[in-house]
Amino acid sequence: MRQSWELAVCLLLHAGVAINQPAQKLRQTSARPVPTFAREADLPTLREQVVEVERELASAVGREDYSAACTLRDRVTELRTRDPQHRFTQLCAALRQAVAVEDYSKAADLHTEMLSVEHHLPQFQLAGLWRGLYPHHGDETIRLRYSRDDPNRLIATKVTGDDHVPRGEVTFTADLLDVLPNSPQRTVVRRLSSGAESEHLVTRYTGSGQVATKGFTDPCFVEGELFMFDTETVGFMWVPFGQLILFSRVDGPEAEIIEEQLDSARTSDSDSMVIEGSGDWWAYDEIFGVDGGTL
């Protein structure tokens, strides 16, 4: 999947297609009308409605009530047209097909529409500073950004680090085109600091999390998963450890202070920086035995 995407981007760049146009310009130049998508806050409810109507559709087909099935099928289609994720998935598939048959003109149009739809998807609104509580290390600030080579690849770099994975190193990555099966789904997480449990409708993406022994020796990436709660809260799980760290967005005056500290650190070539804050780390479904100090 990633190879097809990278090939498409490479070909479009070679053809001189501007793939980083501003969203406003994209809407003006796209020949296809922009669909009326549901608001981000309404997407979880919308997707639950789709699941429920699909269940009713399967039931209608099972009892051979094809009149009801026809109505329910149309209802599913109607609901899905309001979900930008559904349209984005369609565009990705169409883009791969267009590239496969060397229809690069169509590929360029599809890519332009993909960029427009991305502005309605929460997983593409994550760039910036975030904070999470790393076990045995305390609060750490990370920066989320999108890869220049593959805009569907999310990269998290440590702004503050620790003895295992220091500042400036990648802590995890995620492939935003590779949605895990049965996503979104309701997920129960437990806050280890208080024992409180809460349920969320979460979309999960495949990823890789970096681990290392003390002194950043023997670093390697292990299987991981990005948990997309909303544009203010994300989580990342280091799968072999069964450990999910929750990250909250840092913005406003606090983000400005951190950026000033970063500028000062770069100017002075300092290897140390102290950023205060508070975070939490969660276990997913159950608590696994793990040496969290390697993260």
Side-chain angles (χ1 to χ4, degrees):
M1 180 179 290
R2 183 182 298 281
Q3 291 178 344
S4 299
W5 170 258
E6 291 176 345
L7 174 61
V9 172
C10 178
L11 290 168
L12 292 172
L13 286 171
H14 182 70
V17 177
I19 64 172
N20 290 317
Q21 303 177 58
Q24 183 178 3
K25 187 175 182 180
L26 288 174
R27 287 191 290 269
Q28 293 173 348
T29 58
S30 176
R32 184 185 181 93
V34 177
T36 303
F37 293 127
R39 298 179 306 167
E40 178 188 330
D42 296 332
L43 288 177
T45 301
L46 173 68
R47 290 166 182 168
E48 287 186 323
Q49 287 179 327
V50 170
V51 172
E52 179 59 31
V53 176
E54 285 179 331
R55 189 179 296 115
E56 294 176 9
L57 172 58
S59 176
V61 172
R63 63 178 185 271
E64 299 183 354
D65 186 350
Y66 299 120
S67 177
C70 182
T71 301
L72 291 167
R73 178 204 60 197
D74 293 343
R75 177 58 175 161
V76 169
T77 300
E78 177 189 353
L79 290 171
R80 281 179 171 169
T81 59
R82 301 186 58 225
D83 188 342
Q85 182 63 58
H86 178 70
R87 180 57 186 158
F88 187 78
T89 302
Q90 288 181 321
L91 291 169
C92 288
L95 177 60
R96 289 193 296 273
Q97 184 177 7
V99 171
V101 298
E102 299 184 359
D103 188 348
Y104 301 131
S105 175
K106 182 178 180 180
D109 290 339
L110 290 166
H111 187 265
T112 296
E113 187 178 352
M114 283 176 63
L115 292 177
S116 179
V117 174
E118 280 183 1
H119 291 280
H120 299 273
L121 292 171
Q123 66 266 35
F124 293 106
Q125 317 302 321
L126 303 179
L129 296 172
W130 297 72
R131 179 178 294 118
L133 180 61
Y134 281 71
H136 310 297
H137 292 303
D139 286 335
E140 295 191 26
T141 302
I142 65 171
R143 185 185 300 279
L144 295 184
R145 62 181 178 85
Y146 298 94
S147 170
R148 293 180 180 178
D149 297 327
D150 181 356
N152 296 294
R153 182 168 177 254
L154 185 69
I155 301 175
T157 304
K158 285 196 174 184
V159 173
T160 53
D162 50 61
D163 293 339
H164 292 87
V165 180
R167 176 165 67 96
E169 296 295 336
V170 172
T171 181
F172 65 81
T173 67
D175 184 351
L176 300 179
L177 287 183
D178 197 358
V179 181
L180 286 164
N182 302 319
S183 285
Q185 68 180 55
R186 290 208 170 273
T187 304
V188 175
V189 293
R190 181 165 63 259
R191 192 179 296 267
L192 297 184
S193 59
S194 63
E197 292 186 351
S198 56
E199 186 178 76
H200 302 265
L201 190 64
V202 179
T203 302
R204 294 153 51 217
Y205 304 87
T206 61
S208 299
Q210 183 160 214
V211 297
T213 54
K214 195 169 183 178
F216 195 50
T217 55
D218 301 320
C220 66
F221 283 87
V222 299
E223 180 186 357
E225 295 180 11
L226 176 72
F227 283 59
M228 181 73 200
F229 294 86
D230 52 47
T231 54
E232 300 300 319
T233 308
V234 299
F236 191 84
M237 176 189 285
W238 282 256
V239 171
F241 306 139
Q243 194 168 80
L244 174 67
I245 295 181
L246 181 71
F247 296 91
S248 299
R249 186 185 291 276
V250 180
D251 53 18
E254 185 178 6
E256 293 176 5
I257 292 173
I258 293 175
E259 295 290 5
E260 290 176 0
Q261 290 179 332
L262 287 171
D263 289 340
S264 177
R266 281 190 289 265
T267 301
S268 63
D269 261 346
S270 172
D271 288 330
S272 63
M273 184 170 68
V274 176
I275 296 176
E276 297 182 350
S278 60
D280 210 336
W281 62 290
W282 292 14
Y284 170 56
D285 287 342
E286 61 179 344
I287 301 176
F288 295 78
V290 56
D291 175 15
T294 62
L295 304 181

